[in-house]
Amino acid sequence: MADVQIIGAGVAGLTVATELVARGTDVRLIDRASSPGAHACSWWAGGMLAPYCERESAEEPVLVHGLEAVDWWDKNAGGVTRNGSLVVALDRDQSDLRRFARRTSGFAEVDAELIGELEPDLAGRFRTGLFFKDEAHLSPRDALTALRDNLAAKGVAIETDPQDTATTIDCRGLAARDVIPDLRGVKGEMLIISCPDVTLSRPVRLLHPRIPLYIVPRGDGVYMLGATMIESSQRTRITARSMLEMLSAAYALHPAFGEAEILEIGVDARPAFADNLPRIRRQGNTVYANGLYRHGFLLAPALAAQVAEHVLTGATPEFFDADHR
Amino acid sequence: MKFYGTTLPNPLMLGTALYPSPAIMAEAFKASKAAVATVSLRREGSGGEGQAFWQIIKDLGTLILPNTAGCHTVKEAVTTAHMAREVFDTKWIKLEVIGHTDTLQPDVFALTEAAKVLTEDGFQVFPYCTEDLIVADKLLNAGCEVLMPWGAPIGSGLGLNNEHGLRSLRAHFPDVPLVVDAGIGLPSHAARAMELGFDAILLNTAVAKAGDPATMAKAMVMAAEAGQAAYTADPMEPRDMAAPSTPVIGKAFLT
């Protein structure tokens, strides 16, 4: 009998399993599918490791733990591109850029010339921008699959039936609302497009008062466009408006995106608590790790390390939610 | 002044969109004790999927004023209003019919039509309108008992762009509750609106996008209350020459 079983093999479950296995724990990993896939919200993530940018609207822990995440993913999954990220705004939205700069750190202001040096295809399109040199990005699907493969190599394959174990770690994301009533869904819609006419070498954010967009290069002319943020747990339908807005924003970034081929439409709902920060809760022998919101890849490594330490030593983790013991 | 029979504990109506998190939104309401929470309904949530967020808003314990933000036609606005009445169990509806995407300027013609439809259907309509006197008159004829003219475009933070127009609206409709809705970026704008004799202010972005929403919300309600007190205190008239507050007789004032 394994010591610990982990229910859910999305970004939370896979990182928790990785951290426990690294500590020599015998774990079982349970999910309805044997591989990471479209049923997990993290499958649709942008894959930006952009803690400085996220700090614009996120709380301090997102920056602190997000900075550690870049190395964690590089070490445990590989495929991390450390090329920084670029934030731009159209001339009419310069006040949004100033505001973004006031709320963030870790950037250098760049003018049209420097923007052209960083991203030649954006030369002459924007007068000012912010360059966050220490940020990075990865391909979420490759990263999740790499974690799965590394675990399998250590004898932990994803199983479909829950077992009796001393400890259960519930990493089911939004599906755990049956036992975590204060979890809510925040719907996100995204597109994957192919546009070989445009070359971008790092994530680019286009600020806009209504439709902020980010675009993450996935290599070979493929890009991820994202993502909407809607207070809804609906996770199957994209609206025409969302698609229109994301594509218009991409078109404003570079008109050549008008020629892009739409490869995939992704919709899911992120699991979140009221402060949009993750929580670790414990009820008897079950530990709940949830609420990664839009920061799955940024915060999962820290969440996982805290869960592992808690399970093995009983330590009270930073993300522990004592009110819901 | 009563809003469809309800007296507000203070003149702040606060929006619930654009906050970094629902927890921060709740702090802003707690700090300001805002009288009314406005909330927009999106179709995406209509099947009950938006329930979690709506519950957070219900838990604020304030009066709730649902709105039809993002609607561009009479039909859309009417449908959204019906949805809002079901979700929040209130007759109140802030009626927004947008006529232009970039300025979010109200389409006052569709607005008047929608106001008529909704009033006949038992709604108590708070129309987001311009400061135009004729539009105001038509809205009152359509059954509205409150008017909510803009100060400046939604989310612009530009303050009161046409103070004369707002003042004139107050003078023409002394008995109609008036709310400056949209454009308020600073507490000084809020105070100014109340000094003109408005009965409340409605804002969202200025608080939600502030670095510290709770503190800004508190500042807004303090400023609005100060402006309201000043209006009721009948302020002095400004004058061009200095007016001494102590007698000048016996002093060499003719030098």
Side-chain angles (χ1 to χ4, degrees), chain A:
Chain A
M1 190 174 96
D3 307 329
V4 176
Q5 70 173 341
I6 299 155
I7 317 282
V11 70
L14 285 165
T15 50
V16 167
T18 302
E19 284 292 311
L20 280 167
V21 167
R23 287 165 174 78
T25 312
D26 188 7
V27 306
R28 304 186 82 127
L29 186 54
I30 317 292
D31 197 284
R32 71 182 101 135
S34 60
S35 296
H39 61 293
C41 160
S42 41
W43 188 253
W44 304 105
M48 289 186 298
L49 299 171
Y52 292 105
C53 284
E54 288 299 311
R55 183 70 177 99
E56 185 254 336
S57 60
E59 308 273 348
E60 186 73 24
V62 175
L63 176 59
V64 176
H65 296 299
L67 290 171
E68 307 154 8
V70 180
D71 287 337
W72 193 95
W73 285 106
D74 217 4
K75 178 177 157 228
N76 290 282
V80 172
T81 306
R82 296 171 190 257
N83 213 7
S85 57
L86 183 64
V87 178
V88 293
L90 299 173
D91 280 353
R92 47 176 255 175
D93 300 324
Q94 286 301 305
S95 59
D96 290 287
L97 194 68
R98 289 194 294 274
R99 177 178 181 279
F100 199 93
R102 278 208 310 278
R103 301 284 161 76
T104 54
S105 59
F107 61 83
E109 286 185 28
V110 286
D111 59 12
E113 197 185 330
L114 281 168
I115 292 172
E117 281 174 26
L118 288 165
E119 296 294 352
D121 277 3
L122 298 183
R125 302 197 55 77
F126 299 94
R127 282 190 301 159
T128 52
L130 309 172
F131 177 52
F132 295 77
K133 70 175 172 55
D134 295 325
E135 296 191 332
H137 66 282
L138 50 69
S139 160
R141 297 174 184 185
D142 292 347
L144 295 171
T145 306
L147 291 188
R148 195 275 311 258
D149 292 347
N150 293 341
L151 285 165
K154 288 171 185 161
V156 182
I158 300 174
E159 305 167 68
T160 49
D161 296 317
Q163 309 286 324
D164 280 334
T165 45
T167 304
T168 294
I169 303 171
D170 185 329
C171 293
R172 288 181 295 144
L174 198 57
R177 268 188 308 171
D178 54 348
V179 285
I180 310 178
D182 54 334
L183 203 59
R184 75 184 204 287
V186 181
K187 180 177 179 177
E189 298 148 308
M190 61 86 102
L191 301 172
I192 294 178
I193 61 171
S194 168
C195 188
D197 293 347
V198 182
T199 304
L200 297 175
S201 57
R202 54 180 62 76
V204 177
R205 291 181 192 234
L206 178 65
L207 302 184
H208 185 279
R210 271 178 301 126
I211 321 162
L213 173 94
Y214 56 77
I215 178 156
V216 188
R218 293 272 166 89
D220 298 326
V222 174
Y223 296 91
M224 179 272 182
L225 298 187
T228 54
M229 301 273 285
I230 298 164
E231 288 289 346
S232 169
S233 55
Q234 208 287 319
R235 47 191 295 265
T236 52
R237 297 187 300 270
I238 190 169
T239 61
R241 181 196 289 119
S242 292
M243 194 141 156
L244 201 61
E245 288 180 344
M246 284 193 282
L247 290 172
S248 319
Y251 186 74
L253 186 71
H254 199 298
F257 281 120
E259 303 301 320
E261 177 188 351
I262 296 175
L263 300 179
E264 272 184 79
I265 297 168
V267 185
D268 214 317
R270 314 160 178 96
F273 291 102
D275 58 2
N276 294 339
L277 286 174
R279 298 263 195 293
I280 298 168
R281 290 179 182 169
R282 175 156 205 148
Q283 252 172 353
N285 293 327
T286 304
V287 175
Y288 299 91
N290 214 317
L292 284 167
Y293 181 52
R294 61 179 270 156
H295 299 128
F297 284 83
L298 268 187
L299 295 186
L303 182 77
Q306 291 181 26
V307 168
E309 285 302 314
H310 173 70
V311 167
L312 297 178
T313 69
T316 304
E318 178 193 336
F319 291 146
F320 196 67
D321 189 1
D323 295 340
H324 287 81
R325 214 175 293 241

Side-chain angles (χ1 to χ4, degrees), chain B residues 132-174:
Chain B
D132 188 290
L133 284 178
I134 315 306
V135 169
D137 205 34
K138 302 271 183 203
L139 286 167
L140 295 172
N141 284 340
C144 297
E145 295 176 20
V146 174
L147 295 172
M148 304 222 290
W150 63 351
I154 295 173
S156 69
L158 289 171
L160 311 183
N161 270 358
N162 180 4
E163 207 176 288
H164 160 74
L166 294 172
R167 198 191 300 274
S168 148
L169 204 61
R170 178 72 289 171
H172 278 79
F173 304 105

